[in-house]
Amino acid sequence: MQQPRRNTWQREAVRAALVQTPGFVSAQQLHQVLRDAGTTIGLATVYRALAGLSETEEVDSLQSPDGENLFRFCAMPGHHHHLICRACGDTRELSATVVEEWTRRVGAEHGFSDIEHVVDLFGICERCRATA
Amino acid sequence: MQQPRRNTWQREAVRAALVQTPGFVSAQQLHQVLRDAGTTIGLATVYRALAGLSETEEVDSLQSPDGENLFRFCAMPGHHHHLICRACGDTRELSATVVEEWTRRVGAEHGFSDIEHVVDLFGICERCRATA
DNA sequence: CGCTAGAGTGAGAGTCATTCTCATTTAGAA
DNA sequence: TTCTAAATGAGAATGACTCTCACTCTAGCG
Ligand SMILES: [Mn+2]
Ligand SMILES: [Mn+2]
Ligand SMILES: [Zn+2]
Ligand SMILES: [Zn+2]
């Protein structure tokens, strides 16, 4: 998908909602939030907006352990990874030089090219551990 | 799901089909293979068998980039990761001490517990690169 | 400013992996 | 062999995501 040519309040609303959300959220959740806020935005539009923002790397996306795609507005520029609380969604951004290097090395050793890597950490944060 | 109490040819057929399959396969693919082989096994049963085998770690599972759950009979015992060819599915098993340590360290640094990590590499293998 | 082409939208239908339901089958203990 | 509940499987249900297409609204132009 090439970048949008026209600006719409819908796309801006999605971006704004993401900025206000601390952790990763699904498209469905975001749609609900926007509807509750009184907008008439459509679900398909939320999906389209997120796909666009993902491609320009304005937001990060990942698959939750149960297969749902989650999104988050990202402050840290460039490639990085995440440590996510399974309970509250709180997220820490990680730069992972060690892992990047390991990836490159392993790929080369096996003669693989165009390596992509999926590296995500899920756990329980301090606060949620206390609450339990 | 606790472990099965009864042995059925269905569960054994799933295991056998997995052993003969070199790369990761989906439940649907496996079901098709088993049907083509002349069995009358049901799709739900394939899913149930795979879930069971996953839990006992007789097979490894991962999410493909497009969200499908894939399974593979694993020779390497204990925890490990994979480098998978996007084109042909060929898979290399990796032990990743570096990554395991990084995971532990990062988790601790951020006060997270019960850390789980998803680490998978996807690329194009030498053979497929030549074919292209 | 209006006008317009066509990018963008959204309600609803469609897709597809996975799970659920429940009538029927069958493993395995007695 | 008998019996009972675990296991199965056909088909329905679920749920995330995508597609369709008539309608809307952005933005470039006169
Ligand atoms: Mn990385
Ligand atoms: Mn690991
Ligand atoms: Zn938390
Ligand atoms: Zn290959």
Side-chain angles (χ1 to χ4, degrees):
Chain A
M1 178 201 279
Q2 74 258 301
Q3 269 334 96
R5 319 167 180 302
R6 296 181 184 182
N7 299 321
T8 64
W9 64 263
Q10 287 92 336
R11 204 180 338 265
E12 198 41 54
V14 169
R15 199 198 314 272
L18 271 174
V19 170
Q20 292 182 241
T21 307
F24 278 86
V25 283
S26 68
Q28 308 265 355
Q29 286 175 320
L30 217 47
H31 178 241
Q32 195 53 59
V33 167
L34 290 166
R35 283 306 190 101
D36 291 348
T39 71
T40 60
I41 194 170
L43 180 58
T45 300
V46 174
Y47 273 103
R48 285 187 283 241
L50 288 172
L53 291 167
S54 255
E55 242 169 83
T56 57
E57 298 188 326
E58 293 183 72
V59 308
D60 274 328
S61 69
L62 57 81
Q63 294 186 330
S64 79
D66 49 72
E68 208 173 356
N69 276 88
L70 304 181
F71 303 84
R72 179 167 185 277
F73 189 84
C74 252
M76 183 180 282
H79 174 79
H80 57 276
H81 299 272
H82 299 95
L83 168 59
I84 302 133
C85 175
R86 269 190 299 269
C88 69
D90 187 21
T91 299
R92 312 300 168 85
E93 306 195 292
L94 312 169
S95 61
T97 321
V98 194
V99 180
E100 309 300 338
E101 259 167 39
W102 172 79
T103 293
R104 248 192 307 283
R105 182 162 47 76
V106 168
E109 276 174 11
H110 289 269
F112 277 54
S113 62
D114 302 291
I115 303 283
E116 309 215 338
H117 57 284
V118 179
V119 174
D120 293 304
L121 308 187
F122 295 89
I124 303 293
C125 77
E126 215 151 10
R127 183 141 37 107
C128 287
R129 192 148 7 99
T131 306
Chain B
M1 177 201 275
Q2 73 254 300
Q3 270 332 95
R5 319 168 181 301
R6 297 180 182 181
N7 298 319
T8 62
W9 64 262
Q10 288 92 335
R11 202 177 344 261
E12 197 41 56
V14 169
R15 198 200 313 273
L18 271 174
V19 170
Q20 293 181 239
T21 308
F24 277 87
V25 282
S26 70
Q28 308 263 358
Q29 287 175 320
L30 217 46
H31 179 240
Q32 195 53 60
V33 166
L34 290 166
R35 283 309 189 100
D36 291 350
T39 71
T40 59
I41 193 169
L43 180 57
T45 300
V46 173
Y47 273 102
R48 287 187 283 241
L50 288 172
L53 291 167
S54 255
E55 242 168 84
T56 56
E57 299 188 324
E58 293 183 72
V59 309
D60 274 327
S61 69
L62 57 82
Q63 295 185 329
S64 77
D66 48 74
E68 207 173 358
N69 274 81
L70 304 181
F71 303 85
R72 179 168 185 275
F73 189 84
C74 253
M76 182 179 283
H79 175 79
H80 58 276
H81 299 271
H82 300 95
L83 168 58
I84 302 133
C85 176
R86 269 191 299 270
C88 71
D90 187 20
T91 299
R92 312 300 169 85
E93 306 196 291
L94 312 170
S95 60
T97 321
V98 195
V99 179
E100 309 300 337
E101 259 167 40
W102 173 78
T103 293
R104 248 192 308 283
R105 182 161 47 76
V106 169
E109 276 173 13
H110 288 268
F112 276 54
S113 61
D114 302 292
I115 304 282
E116 308 214 341
H117 57 284
V118 179
V119 174
D120 293 303
L121 309 187
F122 296 89
I124 302 293
C125 77
E126 214 151 12
R127 183 141 35 107
C128 287
R129 190 146 10 96
T131 306

